[in-house]
Amino acid sequence: VSKEEGGNRVTKYDPTLFREEEENLSIERELIAAIHRKELTVHYQPKYVFNHSYSPGLVGAEALVRWNHKGRGMISPGIFIPIAEKSKLIVDLEKHVIQSVVAQIQKWKAEGVMRGRVSINISMDTLFRKEFVPYLVTLLSSHNVEGTMIELEITERIVMKNEDDLKEKLQRLHKLGIRISLDDFGTGYSSLSYLDHLNIDILKIDQSFVHKSMTQSGIIAAIVQMAENLSLEVIAEGVETKEQAETLADLGCDRMQGYYFGHPSSPEDYEASFLHSWSRDDGFS
Ligand code: C2E
Ligand code: MG
Ligand code: MG
């Protein structure tokens, strides 16, 4: 048995870059096909306002792309998004996601169940395409969807590389009513000066701080205070337990997203579980 284990270990941890590259190439090839065949889907994870006085209320959702691969099963975006970003496939992928989200909002609006905003993760390549804003304008108006129903999540990496161009780009998005949030906040190495002059509306506290919220409450409190001083909203991601939710509320962060409130789910499940019971009187006790 031990021999077998040893053997397995060698193949499993074989560090040849070659193999990884080959693997990535094959994922890339299959991703192209998957985008064309529309095999990527979008799941929705609810965002809540949670404090001690009221029962939690739904404030929106985050759209998260999913790839259900025939042979490999569910492939995590954590794996294929970085590959798509390297190969520029990301622009086609995100076009597909944005289109799917806007069509979904149109449907929820028509059914009278649309609540809050839906946020979409956007990469640098998509954001800086010349056609991006005109594309959004056309898409929104053809689906009768207001910009106020959309939020775009960008990361600090984007901010660091493009401060000047970004300001103008975000201004144009703002004029459409679209809001901008800074995802995984606190994990990058950027200077904080941009927070003051870029049109950023929301800081999304990274889940690593949330998971250590009992011991790292000082960091969360500092982010909340800074956000308040700069008139930014804050939301915490990755909230998994009632204790974390209560700690965050105590620290002044009352917007939350995480498995405690709901997992990312298909549009049908999201609608049934969250949109049709958006004021959760049944409570999270
Ligand atoms: P993100 O934007 O920071 O999204 C949050 C991730 O945390 C999601 O992983 C979500 O499923 C997961 N999550 C939510 N609540 C909890 C929780 O309570 N505990 C834990 N441990 N995790 C939680 P997911 O869906 O695997 O996505 C990973 C990343 O892939 C996203 O991180 C985002 O950066 C990227 N991504 C997903 N969809 C898109 C997309 O359409 N475009 C781009 N550019 N990136 C995307
Ligand atoms: Mg995100
Ligand atoms: Mg995040």
Side-chain angles (χ1 to χ4, degrees), residues 157-173:
R157 272 185 304 149
I158 299 185
V159 177
M160 281 188 280
K161 288 195 181 140
N162 310 278
E163 247 187 86
D164 293 335
D165 303 345
L166 192 59
K167 184 171 176 153
E168 193 253 321
K169 185 69 89 172
L170 298 188
Q171 246 159 17
R172 289 170 64 195
L173 291 166

Side-chain angles (χ1 to χ4, degrees), residues 29-44:
R29 247 181 262 122
E30 294 185 52
L31 190 54
I32 296 175
I35 294 169
H36 282 296
R37 287 196 227 113
K38 301 199 187 312
E39 282 173 5
L40 300 182
T41 56
V42 178
H43 279 194
Y44 295 84

